[in-house]
Amino acid sequence: MEIVFTKMHGLGNDFVVIDATKLAIALTPEQITNIADRHLGVGCDQLLLVESPKSSNADFGYRIYNSDGGEVGQCGNGARCFARFVREKGLSDSDEICVDTLAGQLLLTFGDNGDITVDMGVPRFKPEEIPLMANKQMLQYQISVQGKQWDFAAVSMGNPHAVLRVDNVNKAPVEQVGTEMESHPIFPERANIGFMEVVDLHHIKLRVFERGVGETQACGSGACAAAVVGMVNGWLNTPVRVDLTGGGLDISYKGIGHPVFMSGSATTVFEGTIDL
């Protein structure tokens, strides 16, 4: 079976995007892993499927698979690439696109400067909604990883996130702590682990170890999670500029019960076919 794909990235967080609006495409975890392989396949952090909508008020369906073949509910950088893809492929000329995801609906908006803003929905902090194995909701939790106690905040952005504040993000033990913490029993569905350095009230630096992927150049939902955690803890004020390895994102959030908005770029790299 030959699959036509488009390779895209959002600040270096890269994707294989496939149009499944006209012909339903069902890929096995093994096929997804093969496509994502950077030596034997196309290579990507996630694979995105563009599908027909499930809801009457949506324009498209949006499915996300990590490079290990597992399906997840949210990817902010992928959402911006999704919007760029459907416009470049002539699937939609609207400046505002509503898409169905496993985590609910997303609203994607094109700005005059070419950036795309994603309404990432309302952050969820209750342990059972993240999910997190904790008896009560707290601003900070503790975990023992690599022989050391770490304070972390937890939030769901449609996918589970843990955020650790560090003094210097460049020196943070992202690989070591991220690998162990991502699959710690405290996270029943595993978690994305963010390492955040606060520069000032409106600026942070961030590295993210994504579940099922490892450290990526950028993580949109991780940027939202870190900014939200910083604001809820009183370390930051909206809006927040998030500098990731691959570039910057702008996050705005009005507080508990309000949605998070993320703005940034999306880039098409090349197109091709792969024989599965």
Side-chain angles (χ1 to χ4, degrees):
M1 175 176 66
E2 276 199 343
I3 296 287
V4 178
F5 69 88
T6 300
K7 180 71 180 284
M8 306 185 75
H9 77 86
L11 306 182
N13 187 190
D14 63 336
F15 308 94
V16 166
V17 188
I18 298 171
D19 181 359
T21 58
K22 301 176 181 65
L23 179 66
I25 296 174
L27 298 173
T28 66
E30 182 181 16
Q31 288 173 321
I32 293 167
T33 301
N34 289 340
I35 292 170
D37 191 294
R38 297 190 183 277
H39 300 288
L40 304 176
V42 181
C44 64
D45 294 321
Q46 280 100 9
L47 182 144
L48 312 180
L49 281 185
V50 182
E51 298 184 329
S52 299
K54 303 292 189 296
S55 307
S56 59
N57 65 326
D59 300 297
F60 297 97
Y62 169 37
R63 298 182 73 177
I64 310 144
Y65 298 89
N66 280 343
S67 57
D68 65 357
E71 186 169 8
V72 296
Q74 181 67 286
C75 178
N77 287 326
R80 298 197 315 279
C81 288
F82 184 104
R84 179 76 62 203
F85 178 89
V86 298
R87 173 167 282 194
E88 290 181 349
K89 292 298 180 183
L91 301 176
S92 173
D93 59 2
S94 176
D95 287 336
E96 193 171 87
I97 301 166
C98 180
V99 297
D100 286 326
T101 77
L102 284 181
Q105 290 191 335
L106 289 180
L107 192 63
L108 316 175
T109 306
F110 283 90
D112 293 336
N113 63 353
D115 280 358
I116 298 161
T117 297
V118 183
D119 179 344
M120 296 288 287
V122 178
R124 298 191 292 274
F125 298 95
K126 293 180 180 178
E128 64 270 21
E129 294 177 334
I130 294 172
L132 172 74
M133 299 298 291
N135 293 325
K136 62 179 181 178
Q137 180 179 329
M138 301 173 66
L139 286 176
Q140 294 281 310
Y141 304 88
Q142 273 204 340
I143 192 172
S144 179
V145 177
Q146 295 281 305
K148 178 182 175 181
Q149 289 293 116
W150 294 84
D151 292 328
F152 72 94
V155 61
S156 172
M157 290 301 314
N159 52 359
H161 287 270
V163 181
L164 294 73
R165 184 173 178 177
V166 298
D167 293 330
N168 187 327
V169 74
N170 294 324
K171 296 180 179 179
V174 174
E175 184 70 26
Q176 300 90 334
V177 172
T179 299
E180 185 174 334
M181 193 170 173
E182 176 238 17
S183 56
H184 194 282
I186 199 172
F187 303 109
E189 297 179 9
R190 299 189 294 168
N192 303 286
I193 314 301
F195 298 79
M196 173 177 67
E197 175 188 340
V198 176
V199 179
D200 60 43
L201 284 173
H202 297 280
H203 183 196
I204 64 173
K205 296 179 181 179
L206 180 70
R207 293 170 65 187
V208 181
F209 189 97
E210 294 195 48
R211 61 175 178 172
V213 180
E215 185 177 4
T216 56
Q217 293 285 302
C219 176
S221 61
C224 293
V228 164
V229 161
M231 286 184 256
V232 169
N233 278 275
W235 306 329
L236 302 170
N237 289 333
T238 194
V240 175
R241 179 69 172 184
V242 182
D243 284 337
L244 300 120
T245 305
L249 292 169
D250 295 303
I251 312 296
S252 60
Y253 175 59
K254 292 183 178 180
I256 302 294
H258 292 274
V260 183
F261 293 90
M262 173 194 64
S263 298
S265 62
T267 304
T268 297
V269 183
F270 64 87
E271 298 180 347
T273 60
I274 185 169
D275 190 355
L276 301 178

